[in-house]
Amino acid sequence: MYSIRTISPADNPAIAAIIRTVMPEFGASGPGFAIHDAEVDTMAQAYAIPGAAYFVVEQDRNVLGGGGVAALIGGDADTCELRKMYFLPALRGQGAGRALIERCIAAARELGYRRCYLETLRGMDAAQALYLKAGFQRIDGALGGTGHFSCDTFYLREL
């Protein structure tokens, strides 16, 4: 069984390692991907700001995944972005993805957002199926200015 909780500074190394392990698995290690964002090494601090929340998923006291929400950079004030949601293979297929999305959506509502955006890439098929089941709809192009110019698939959900 897994549990979901708010990230703490002690989780930073584990989440950074997860991001740096999972993104290359899907070919997302080059320029224009979140793996190069400055916040990867200090996720707890990066999301300890107004309008943001990040959660980790633990199993047997090991952090195996995470994801969060924050204001969409360069976007409308009422739009957040689902960010850096990655799971190690040991956690996949257990319902943790759906549970984490629900936790993130609840946090986004509490923070006052009305829409949630996300960007991903072709090949992350299981993730995309999960987004659709969670009420996200595919949109034609990118919103905001995340700097993730290598992402090629975009979703939006009304909250």
Side-chain angles (χ1 to χ4, degrees), residues 127-138:
Q128 290 185 46
L130 176 63
Y131 301 143
L132 290 169
K133 286 180 187 171
F136 285 85
Q137 296 180 353
R138 193 160 173 183

Side-chain angles (χ1 to χ4, degrees), residues 25-108:
E25 178 184 345
F26 294 96
S29 59
F33 287 113
I35 194 171
H36 301 293
D37 291 355
E39 69 185 28
V40 169
D41 288 312
T42 56
M43 295 291 285
Q45 293 83 347
Y47 288 80
I49 60 170
Y54 195 89
F55 305 98
V56 295
V57 184
E58 278 187 323
Q59 192 170 53
D60 299 322
R61 294 192 233 196
N62 295 310
V63 174
L64 299 179
V69 293
L72 174 60
I73 297 167
D76 295 335
D78 68 349
T79 304
C80 68
E81 179 185 11
L82 182 66
R83 296 183 178 178
K84 295 185 179 65
M85 186 170 150
Y86 299 104
F87 289 5
L88 292 176
L91 187 61
R92 297 176 195 162
Q94 298 181 41
R98 182 64 186 259
L100 182 58
I101 286 178
E102 289 174 6
R103 183 77 175 265
C104 289
I105 292 299

Side-chain angles (χ1 to χ4, degrees), residues 18-32:
I18 290 166
I19 292 168
R20 291 188 175 118
T21 298
V22 174
M23 291 192 75
E25 178 184 345
F26 294 96
S29 59

